[in-house]
Short mmCIF file of all heavy atoms in Angstrom, two decimals:
data_model
loop_
_atom_site.label_atom_id
_atom_site.label_comp_id
_atom_site.label_asym_id
_atom_site.label_seq_id
_atom_site.Cartn_x
_atom_site.Cartn_y
_atom_site.Cartn_z
N THR A 1 -10.05 -52.66 29.17
CA THR A 1 -10.28 -51.22 29.12
C THR A 1 -11.49 -50.82 29.97
O THR A 1 -12.42 -51.60 30.20
CB THR A 1 -10.52 -50.72 27.70
OG1 THR A 1 -11.76 -51.30 27.22
CG2 THR A 1 -9.40 -51.09 26.77
N ALA A 2 -11.46 -49.57 30.46
CA ALA A 2 -12.57 -49.03 31.22
C ALA A 2 -13.84 -49.02 30.40
O ALA A 2 -14.94 -49.26 30.94
CB ALA A 2 -12.21 -47.62 31.69
N ARG A 3 -13.73 -48.76 29.10
CA ARG A 3 -14.91 -48.71 28.23
C ARG A 3 -15.55 -50.08 28.17
O ARG A 3 -16.81 -50.23 28.21
CB ARG A 3 -14.52 -48.25 26.83
CG ARG A 3 -15.70 -48.20 25.84
CD ARG A 3 -16.63 -47.08 26.25
NE ARG A 3 -17.90 -47.09 25.45
CZ ARG A 3 -19.00 -47.69 25.83
NH1 ARG A 3 -19.05 -48.39 26.98
NH2 ARG A 3 -20.11 -47.58 25.10
N ALA A 4 -14.75 -51.15 28.11
CA ALA A 4 -15.29 -52.51 28.05
C ALA A 4 -15.98 -52.86 29.39
O ALA A 4 -17.04 -53.49 29.39
CB ALA A 4 -14.19 -53.51 27.70
N ILE A 5 -15.35 -52.47 30.49
CA ILE A 5 -15.95 -52.73 31.80
C ILE A 5 -17.27 -52.00 31.97
O ILE A 5 -18.29 -52.52 32.41
CB ILE A 5 -14.96 -52.29 32.93
CG1 ILE A 5 -13.68 -53.14 32.87
CG2 ILE A 5 -15.65 -52.42 34.28
CD1 ILE A 5 -13.87 -54.61 33.17
N GLU A 6 -17.26 -50.70 31.52
CA GLU A 6 -18.47 -49.86 31.61
C GLU A 6 -19.59 -50.49 30.80
O GLU A 6 -20.79 -50.39 31.16
CB GLU A 6 -18.10 -48.47 31.13
CG GLU A 6 -19.26 -47.47 31.12
CD GLU A 6 -18.86 -46.15 30.51
OE1 GLU A 6 -17.71 -45.77 30.64
OE2 GLU A 6 -19.74 -45.53 29.85
N ALA A 7 -19.28 -51.07 29.66
CA ALA A 7 -20.28 -51.70 28.76
C ALA A 7 -20.69 -53.11 29.19
O ALA A 7 -21.48 -53.74 28.53
CB ALA A 7 -19.77 -51.70 27.32
N ASP A 8 -20.15 -53.55 30.36
CA ASP A 8 -20.44 -54.87 30.87
C ASP A 8 -20.03 -55.98 29.91
O ASP A 8 -20.88 -56.78 29.47
CB ASP A 8 -21.93 -55.00 31.25
CG ASP A 8 -22.22 -56.23 32.09
OD1 ASP A 8 -21.27 -56.84 32.60
OD2 ASP A 8 -23.40 -56.59 32.24
N ILE A 9 -18.76 -55.96 29.56
CA ILE A 9 -18.22 -56.93 28.60
C ILE A 9 -18.43 -58.39 29.02
O ILE A 9 -18.61 -59.25 28.18
CB ILE A 9 -16.70 -56.67 28.39
CG1 ILE A 9 -16.12 -57.53 27.27
CG2 ILE A 9 -15.90 -56.84 29.70
CD1 ILE A 9 -16.53 -57.20 25.92
N TYR A 10 -18.59 -58.59 30.35
CA TYR A 10 -18.74 -59.98 30.84
C TYR A 10 -20.10 -60.59 30.48
O TYR A 10 -20.28 -61.78 30.51
CB TYR A 10 -18.48 -60.04 32.34
CG TYR A 10 -17.04 -59.76 32.70
CD1 TYR A 10 -16.62 -58.51 33.11
CD2 TYR A 10 -16.08 -60.77 32.58
CE1 TYR A 10 -15.29 -58.24 33.41
CE2 TYR A 10 -14.75 -60.54 32.89
CZ TYR A 10 -14.36 -59.27 33.31
OH TYR A 10 -13.05 -59.04 33.60
N SER A 11 -21.06 -59.73 30.16
CA SER A 11 -22.37 -60.24 29.73
C SER A 11 -22.62 -60.04 28.25
O SER A 11 -23.73 -60.24 27.76
CB SER A 11 -23.50 -59.61 30.55
OG SER A 11 -23.56 -58.21 30.30
N ALA A 12 -21.57 -59.61 27.51
CA ALA A 12 -21.70 -59.34 26.10
C ALA A 12 -21.78 -60.63 25.28
O ALA A 12 -21.37 -61.68 25.75
CB ALA A 12 -20.55 -58.45 25.61
N ILE A 13 -22.28 -60.52 24.05
CA ILE A 13 -22.36 -61.68 23.17
C ILE A 13 -21.18 -61.73 22.27
O ILE A 13 -20.94 -60.80 21.42
CB ILE A 13 -23.67 -61.61 22.31
CG1 ILE A 13 -24.92 -61.62 23.23
CG2 ILE A 13 -23.71 -62.75 21.30
CD1 ILE A 13 -26.19 -61.33 22.52
N PRO A 14 -20.32 -62.75 22.33
CA PRO A 14 -19.14 -62.87 21.47
C PRO A 14 -19.56 -63.37 20.06
O PRO A 14 -20.27 -64.35 19.95
CB PRO A 14 -18.25 -63.89 22.18
CG PRO A 14 -19.20 -64.74 22.95
CD PRO A 14 -20.41 -63.89 23.29
N THR A 15 -19.09 -62.70 19.03
CA THR A 15 -19.42 -63.12 17.65
C THR A 15 -18.17 -63.15 16.82
O THR A 15 -17.11 -62.55 17.16
CB THR A 15 -20.42 -62.12 17.02
OG1 THR A 15 -19.78 -60.87 16.83
CG2 THR A 15 -21.66 -61.98 17.90
N GLU A 16 -18.26 -63.83 15.68
CA GLU A 16 -17.11 -63.93 14.78
C GLU A 16 -16.89 -62.60 14.06
O GLU A 16 -17.80 -62.01 13.52
CB GLU A 16 -17.34 -65.03 13.75
CG GLU A 16 -16.21 -65.16 12.72
CD GLU A 16 -16.46 -66.24 11.72
OE1 GLU A 16 -17.31 -67.12 11.94
OE2 GLU A 16 -15.78 -66.20 10.64
N LYS A 17 -15.60 -62.17 14.03
CA LYS A 17 -15.22 -61.00 13.25
C LYS A 17 -14.96 -61.49 11.83
O LYS A 17 -14.08 -62.30 11.59
CB LYS A 17 -14.00 -60.36 13.83
CG LYS A 17 -13.54 -59.06 13.13
CD LYS A 17 -12.33 -58.50 13.82
CE LYS A 17 -11.94 -57.13 13.19
NZ LYS A 17 -11.41 -57.28 11.83
N VAL A 18 -15.81 -61.03 10.91
CA VAL A 18 -15.72 -61.45 9.50
C VAL A 18 -14.72 -60.63 8.74
O VAL A 18 -14.62 -59.40 8.87
CB VAL A 18 -17.09 -61.42 8.84
CG1 VAL A 18 -17.06 -61.86 7.42
CG2 VAL A 18 -18.07 -62.28 9.65
N ASP A 19 -13.94 -61.28 7.88
CA ASP A 19 -12.83 -60.64 7.14
C ASP A 19 -13.30 -60.19 5.76
O ASP A 19 -13.26 -60.96 4.81
CB ASP A 19 -11.67 -61.63 7.00
CG ASP A 19 -10.42 -60.96 6.45
OD1 ASP A 19 -10.45 -59.75 6.17
OD2 ASP A 19 -9.37 -61.66 6.29
N GLY A 20 -13.79 -58.95 5.69
CA GLY A 20 -14.26 -58.42 4.41
C GLY A 20 -14.12 -56.91 4.41
O GLY A 20 -13.15 -56.33 4.93
N THR A 21 -15.09 -56.20 3.79
CA THR A 21 -15.07 -54.77 3.77
C THR A 21 -16.44 -54.29 4.28
O THR A 21 -17.48 -54.84 3.89
CB THR A 21 -14.73 -54.19 2.36
OG1 THR A 21 -14.64 -52.77 2.48
CG2 THR A 21 -15.76 -54.56 1.33
N CYS A 22 -16.43 -53.24 5.09
CA CYS A 22 -17.63 -52.82 5.80
C CYS A 22 -18.60 -52.06 4.86
O CYS A 22 -18.18 -51.24 4.03
CB CYS A 22 -17.25 -51.94 6.95
SG CYS A 22 -18.54 -51.67 8.14
N CYS A 23 -19.90 -52.37 5.01
CA CYS A 23 -20.95 -51.71 4.26
C CYS A 23 -22.09 -51.28 5.18
O CYS A 23 -22.13 -51.69 6.32
CB CYS A 23 -21.57 -52.69 3.19
SG CYS A 23 -20.35 -53.35 2.03
N TYR A 24 -22.95 -50.45 4.64
CA TYR A 24 -24.06 -49.92 5.45
C TYR A 24 -25.28 -49.82 4.54
O TYR A 24 -25.18 -49.45 3.36
CB TYR A 24 -23.61 -48.53 5.95
CG TYR A 24 -24.62 -47.72 6.73
CD1 TYR A 24 -25.43 -48.26 7.69
CD2 TYR A 24 -24.67 -46.33 6.50
CE1 TYR A 24 -26.29 -47.48 8.43
CE2 TYR A 24 -25.55 -45.52 7.24
CZ TYR A 24 -26.36 -46.11 8.20
OH TYR A 24 -27.23 -45.36 8.94
N VAL A 25 -26.47 -50.11 5.09
CA VAL A 25 -27.69 -49.94 4.33
C VAL A 25 -28.52 -48.81 4.96
O VAL A 25 -28.88 -48.88 6.13
CB VAL A 25 -28.51 -51.24 4.33
CG1 VAL A 25 -29.87 -51.00 3.59
CG2 VAL A 25 -27.77 -52.37 3.63
N THR A 26 -28.71 -47.76 4.18
CA THR A 26 -29.55 -46.68 4.60
C THR A 26 -30.22 -46.02 3.38
O THR A 26 -29.98 -46.47 2.23
CB THR A 26 -28.74 -45.62 5.40
OG1 THR A 26 -29.64 -44.71 6.05
CG2 THR A 26 -27.78 -44.80 4.50
N THR A 27 -31.05 -45.02 3.59
CA THR A 27 -31.84 -44.48 2.51
C THR A 27 -31.03 -43.54 1.62
O THR A 27 -30.20 -42.77 2.10
CB THR A 27 -33.05 -43.70 3.09
OG1 THR A 27 -33.78 -44.59 3.93
CG2 THR A 27 -33.97 -43.22 1.97
N TYR A 28 -31.27 -43.64 0.32
CA TYR A 28 -30.71 -42.77 -0.73
C TYR A 28 -31.65 -42.70 -1.89
O TYR A 28 -32.20 -43.75 -2.25
CB TYR A 28 -29.32 -43.30 -1.13
CG TYR A 28 -28.63 -42.49 -2.21
CD1 TYR A 28 -28.24 -41.16 -1.99
CD2 TYR A 28 -28.32 -43.06 -3.45
CE1 TYR A 28 -27.59 -40.45 -2.94
CE2 TYR A 28 -27.66 -42.35 -4.45
CZ TYR A 28 -27.30 -41.02 -4.17
OH TYR A 28 -26.64 -40.28 -5.15
N LYS A 29 -31.90 -41.52 -2.37
CA LYS A 29 -32.87 -41.36 -3.48
C LYS A 29 -34.25 -41.94 -3.11
O LYS A 29 -34.96 -42.51 -3.95
CB LYS A 29 -32.36 -42.03 -4.76
CG LYS A 29 -31.09 -41.39 -5.32
CD LYS A 29 -30.67 -42.10 -6.60
CE LYS A 29 -29.42 -41.47 -7.22
NZ LYS A 29 -28.94 -42.18 -8.42
N GLY A 30 -34.58 -41.87 -1.85
CA GLY A 30 -35.90 -42.29 -1.40
C GLY A 30 -36.12 -43.77 -1.25
O GLY A 30 -37.22 -44.22 -1.06
N GLN A 31 -35.02 -44.55 -1.32
CA GLN A 31 -35.19 -46.03 -1.14
C GLN A 31 -33.96 -46.59 -0.45
O GLN A 31 -32.92 -45.93 -0.36
CB GLN A 31 -35.34 -46.69 -2.50
CG GLN A 31 -34.07 -46.70 -3.37
CD GLN A 31 -34.27 -47.49 -4.67
OE1 GLN A 31 -34.67 -46.93 -5.70
NE2 GLN A 31 -34.02 -48.80 -4.60
N PRO A 32 -34.08 -47.81 0.11
CA PRO A 32 -32.94 -48.41 0.80
C PRO A 32 -31.77 -48.63 -0.19
O PRO A 32 -32.00 -49.15 -1.28
CB PRO A 32 -33.45 -49.72 1.35
CG PRO A 32 -34.93 -49.55 1.39
CD PRO A 32 -35.28 -48.63 0.24
N TYR A 33 -30.57 -48.27 0.24
CA TYR A 33 -29.39 -48.37 -0.65
C TYR A 33 -28.22 -48.97 0.12
O TYR A 33 -28.13 -48.76 1.31
CB TYR A 33 -29.00 -46.97 -1.17
CG TYR A 33 -29.09 -46.76 -2.64
CD1 TYR A 33 -30.33 -46.66 -3.27
CD2 TYR A 33 -27.95 -46.64 -3.45
CE1 TYR A 33 -30.46 -46.43 -4.64
CE2 TYR A 33 -28.04 -46.44 -4.83
CZ TYR A 33 -29.30 -46.33 -5.42
OH TYR A 33 -29.39 -46.13 -6.78
N LEU A 34 -27.36 -49.65 -0.61
CA LEU A 34 -26.11 -50.11 -0.04
C LEU A 34 -25.05 -49.00 -0.15
O LEU A 34 -24.93 -48.39 -1.21
CB LEU A 34 -25.63 -51.35 -0.80
CG LEU A 34 -24.34 -52.02 -0.26
CD1 LEU A 34 -24.61 -52.67 1.13
CD2 LEU A 34 -23.84 -53.09 -1.22
N TRP A 35 -24.33 -48.79 0.92
CA TRP A 35 -23.27 -47.77 0.98
C TRP A 35 -21.95 -48.44 1.27
O TRP A 35 -21.86 -49.38 2.09
CB TRP A 35 -23.57 -46.72 2.06
CG TRP A 35 -24.84 -45.89 1.81
CD1 TRP A 35 -26.11 -46.37 1.67
CD2 TRP A 35 -24.86 -44.48 1.66
NE1 TRP A 35 -26.96 -45.29 1.45
CE2 TRP A 35 -26.23 -44.14 1.43
CE3 TRP A 35 -23.90 -43.47 1.69
CZ2 TRP A 35 -26.63 -42.82 1.25
CZ3 TRP A 35 -24.31 -42.14 1.51
CH2 TRP A 35 -25.67 -41.84 1.27
N ALA A 36 -20.89 -47.95 0.61
CA ALA A 36 -19.54 -48.47 0.82
C ALA A 36 -18.81 -47.58 1.84
O ALA A 36 -19.04 -46.35 1.90
CB ALA A 36 -18.78 -48.50 -0.49
N ARG A 37 -17.92 -48.18 2.58
CA ARG A 37 -17.13 -47.45 3.57
C ARG A 37 -16.09 -46.59 2.84
O ARG A 37 -15.39 -47.06 1.94
CB ARG A 37 -16.40 -48.44 4.49
CG ARG A 37 -15.51 -47.81 5.55
CD ARG A 37 -16.35 -47.12 6.61
NE ARG A 37 -15.49 -46.60 7.69
CZ ARG A 37 -15.23 -47.27 8.79
NH1 ARG A 37 -15.77 -48.47 8.98
NH2 ARG A 37 -14.51 -46.75 9.74
#
């Protein structure tokens, strides 16, 4: 894809795609919290 070429995919770091469910850590109630997708 053009997007991959634009992002210089040839110098990108390949990593394992993990099979789970996505989460995010950001602030809630004034402290770091785990968020579910």
Side-chain angles (χ1 to χ4, degrees):
T1 65
R3 181 68 188 93
I5 297 294
E6 180 186 325
D8 193 12
I9 186 71
Y10 291 99
S11 64
I13 298 171
T15 67
E16 178 181 341
K17 184 177 185 292
V18 178
D19 190 0
T21 184
C22 195
C23 302
Y24 176 43
V25 176
T26 193
T27 304
Y28 179 63
K29 296 181 179 178
Q31 70 175 91
Y33 243 72
L34 183 68
W35 295 60
R37 180 69 175 266

